[in-house]
């Protein structure tokens, strides 16, 4: 494994964790099944990815994937039990076998079994608060409206357009755990069960066989992601995966939580820029759920930088408001619900090598100018200006790509990327939509930045 392959995945079962391997759990107990019984699925409880260099990954998030869950499993359904993390954000999202989004259960919509939901406005964290999520395969037209939809249901079995899917792939995200906690925000990995709804249609032997098939799929998904992160080769050429030829053609290059809603990763060349310093591309969720493991609550702006840029590239934009739950800029905030975004970040990637992530800055890490704007510099390490408080190393490829994320926007924040409905690569339309929040790009030398930040206003303090 390459030295630069930083903690790509930690694969774990409910009872423990290990590196790059699915841990076997306790054997399935024997005996008769009864309605409502929860059968632990420790042996196929998925895998965790954190601090990854995988394509388009957000390095400040942790992902738990449970893939290969069959739609309409005989005699029951799947269930998750866990506690609320001490973190900025979390969500449950479902996908089809290719990773196209099919359903969302947002953190603010979860009803606790006990305690309080800390993601609701002005709700302090209560230790031992916990909840249950049930995965139910229900056609879109048969799902109750919201409200009064039943609480804590993650729907599956169908895409947004009503098309069926053979498998469900659940992704659980946790962003920015509080200081002093672990990567999952101070709680264990969620418990995973098969719930018996009709004992006559299932058995322990059948559940065990289903779990074994799921485990093999999860291991194949993990190995495929490792291959992509190391070689950036297309996952369509993978072997030993039960995909049809059409599915193999559709899957293309896989990204996690990144802007792939158009179905692939663009690879611009130097000739695409003409005289432009940067090229812009907005990616927002599609109504039919297309896009590979993107976050359905996030709008993305890709900014491709020209190979002809100067020694230092500079980006400046008004910073949306956010809850500083970690207290990096003072006293830790509870989520008020009045923030413009739950979270925003800016990550650097190499556009010519499948968008591996080379670094990220998130909202609370950035120092704001006195006027509420942020100024971020990008350069090689040896060219970092001494006064560049907000800085990321530029990707080593000829065309670096920045991804600006706007996550879980307030409906009143109409400039959010998630609400953009124009042509995805029209800079004038994107600028008009985002207004002051649009990231302007310029370039200069290290000496010019140290003198006057490339002609921008002097940096203040917040």
């Amino acid at each position: 494994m390459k030295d630069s392959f930083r903690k790509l995945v930690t694969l774990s079962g409910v009872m423990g964790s290990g590196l790059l391997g699915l841990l076997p759990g306790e054997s399935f107990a024997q005996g008769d099944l009864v309605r409502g019984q929860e059968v632990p699925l420790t042996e196929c409880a998925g895998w965790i990815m954190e601090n990854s260099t995988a394509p388009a990954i957000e390095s400040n998030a942790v992902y738990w994937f449970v893939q290969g869950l069959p739609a309409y499993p005989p005699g029951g359904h799947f269930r998750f039990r866990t506690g609320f993390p001490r973190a900025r954000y979390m969500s449950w999202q479902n996908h089809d076998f290719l990773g196209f989004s099919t359903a969302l259960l947002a953190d603010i919509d979860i009803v606790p079994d006990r305690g309080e939901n800390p993601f609701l406005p002005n709700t302090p964290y209560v230790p031992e608060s916990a909840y249950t999520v049930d995965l139910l395969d229900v056609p879109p037209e048969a799902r109750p409206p919201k409200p009064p939809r039943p609480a804590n249901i993650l729907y599956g079995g169908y895409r947004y357009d009503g098309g069926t899917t053979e498998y469900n792939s659940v992704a659980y995200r946790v962003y920015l755990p509080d200081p002093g906690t672990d990567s999952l925000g101070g709680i264990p990995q969620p418990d995973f069960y098969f719930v018996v709804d009709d004992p006559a249609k299932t058995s322990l032997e059948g559940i065990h066989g289903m779990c074994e098939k799921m485990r093999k799929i999860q291991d194949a998904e993990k190995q495929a992601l490792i291959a992509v992160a190391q070689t950036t080769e297309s996952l369509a050429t993978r072997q030993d995966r039960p995909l049809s030829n059409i599915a193999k053609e559709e899957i293309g290059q896989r990204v996690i939580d990144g802007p792939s809603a158009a179905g692939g990763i663009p690879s611009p060349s130097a000739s695409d820029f003409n005289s432009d310093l940067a090229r812009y591309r907005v990616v927002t969720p599609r109504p039919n759920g297309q896009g590979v493991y993107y976050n359905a609550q996030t709008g993305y702006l890709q900014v491709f930088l020209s190979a002809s840029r100067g020694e230092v590239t500079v980006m400046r934009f008004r910073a949306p408001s956010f809850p500083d739950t970690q207290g990096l800029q003072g006293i830790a905030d509870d989520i008020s619900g009045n923030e413009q975004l739950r979270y925003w970040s800016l990550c650097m990637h190499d556009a010519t090598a499948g968008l591996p992530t080379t670094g990220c800055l998130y909202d609370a890490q950035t120092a704001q100018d006195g006027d509420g704007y942020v100024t971020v510099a990008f350069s090689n390490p040896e060219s970092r200006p001494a006064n560049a408080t907000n800085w990321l190393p530029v990707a080593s490829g000829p065309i670096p790509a920045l991804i600006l994320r706007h996550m879980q926007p307030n409906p009143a924040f109409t400039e959010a990327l998630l609400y953009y409905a124009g042509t995805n690569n029209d800079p004038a339309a994107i600028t008009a939509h985002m207004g002051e929040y649009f990231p302007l790009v310029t370039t200069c030398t290290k000496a010019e930045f140290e003198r006057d930040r490339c002609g921008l206003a002097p940096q203040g303090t917040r």
Side-chain angles (χ1 to χ4, degrees), residues 169-445:
S169 299
V170 174
Y172 168 73
R173 291 172 170 85
V174 176
Y175 271 67
L176 292 188
D178 289 357
T181 66
D182 59 14
S183 60
L184 287 173
I187 60 169
Q189 177 180 314
D191 294 327
F192 181 40
Y193 301 96
F194 183 79
V195 181
V196 178
D197 298 324
D198 187 346
K201 295 181 178 180
T202 189
S203 65
L204 283 173
E205 182 181 5
I207 296 172
H208 176 79
M210 176 178 63
C211 186
E212 178 62 17
K213 291 180 180 178
M214 290 167 53
R215 188 195 65 79
K216 291 180 179 179
I217 291 173
Q218 292 163 11
D219 187 60
E221 288 285 341
K222 174 261 299 184
Q223 296 295 342
L225 180 60
I226 290 173
V228 169
Q230 290 183 328
T231 68
T232 68
E233 293 177 351
S234 171
L235 297 193
T237 61
R238 284 183 298 159
Q239 302 298 318
D240 301 322
R241 176 165 176 191
L243 288 180
S244 66
N245 290 333
I246 294 177
K248 288 179 180 178
E249 291 175 1
E250 287 180 351
I251 192 167
Q253 286 188 307
R254 178 92 49 127
V255 305
I256 305 298
D257 195 32
S260 63
I265 301 174
S267 298
S269 64
S271 61
D272 293 332
F273 289 88
N274 298 321
S275 61
D276 297 331
L277 178 61
R279 298 291 297 273
Y280 297 86
R281 179 175 182 264
V282 173
V283 179
T284 56
R286 298 284 185 88
N288 288 332
Q290 292 187 356
V292 183
Y293 286 115
Y294 71 86
N295 189 334
Q297 294 184 287
T298 301
Y300 306 87
L301 177 65
Q302 293 174 302
V303 184
F304 300 99
L305 302 180
S306 171
S308 61
R309 65 191 182 278
E311 185 180 17
V312 179
T313 303
V314 185
M315 177 177 286
R316 192 167 191 266
F317 57 92
R318 179 172 290 280
S321 62
F322 60 92
D324 183 13
T325 52
Q326 293 185 314
L328 294 187
Q329 299 185 347
I331 300 175
D333 300 328
D334 288 330
I335 297 168
S336 72
N338 296 320
E339 302 90 1
Q340 291 172 313
L341 297 172
R342 178 72 68 83
Y343 174 90
W344 65 263
S345 68
L346 191 61
C347 295
M348 175 66 73
H349 311 269
D350 184 351
T352 57
L355 294 179
T357 304
T358 62
C360 292
L361 282 174
Y362 65 88
D363 43 31
Q365 289 179 320
T366 59
Q368 293 189 16
D369 302 342
D371 55 3
Y373 280 69
V374 292
T375 304
V376 186
F378 313 95
S379 69
N380 295 324
E382 61 272 18
S383 297
R384 178 177 181 174
N387 58 338
T389 305
N390 304 322
W391 175 84
L392 281 174
V394 73
S396 58
I399 302 178
L402 292 155
I403 297 179
L404 176 66
R405 284 173 170 83
H406 281 184
M407 180 181 293
Q408 200 168 340
N410 189 314
F413 183 39
T414 58
E415 297 93 340
L417 287 165
L418 190 63
Y419 303 141
Y420 179 73
T423 303
N424 70 347
N425 60 353
D426 182 348
I430 299 170
T431 302
H433 172 80
M434 297 184 69
E436 296 178 311
Y437 303 93
F438 178 80
L440 295 172
V441 176
T442 188
T443 188
C444 64
T445 66

Side-chain angles (χ1 to χ4, degrees), residues 36-102:
Q37 181 176 345
E38 295 181 338
V39 180
L41 300 179
T42 307
E43 295 177 346
C44 51
W47 50 286
I48 288 177
M49 181 174 68
E50 60 182 297
N51 295 338
S52 174
T53 59
I57 194 71
E58 164 61 76
S59 62
N60 298 304
V62 172
Y63 308 83
W64 179 50
F65 293 103
V66 185
Q67 293 145 321
L69 287 73
Y72 289 105
H77 69 278
F78 298 103
R79 173 174 289 169
F80 306 91
R81 290 189 183 275
T82 188
F84 289 96
R86 291 179 176 267
R88 173 83 70 83
Y89 167 92
M90 68 96 166
S91 70
W92 292 85
Q93 299 188 37
N94 197 12
H95 312 79
D96 65 13
F97 198 61
L98 296 178
F100 292 167
S101 178
T102 60

Side-chain angles (χ1 to χ4, degrees), residues 1-9 20 52-54 225-227 229-230:
M1 188 170 296
K2 296 181 179 180
D3 293 338
S4 61
F5 189 39
R6 302 179 294 111
K7 294 181 66 180
L8 172 62
V9 284
L20 301 183
S52 174
T53 59
L225 180 60
I226 290 173
Q230 290 183 328

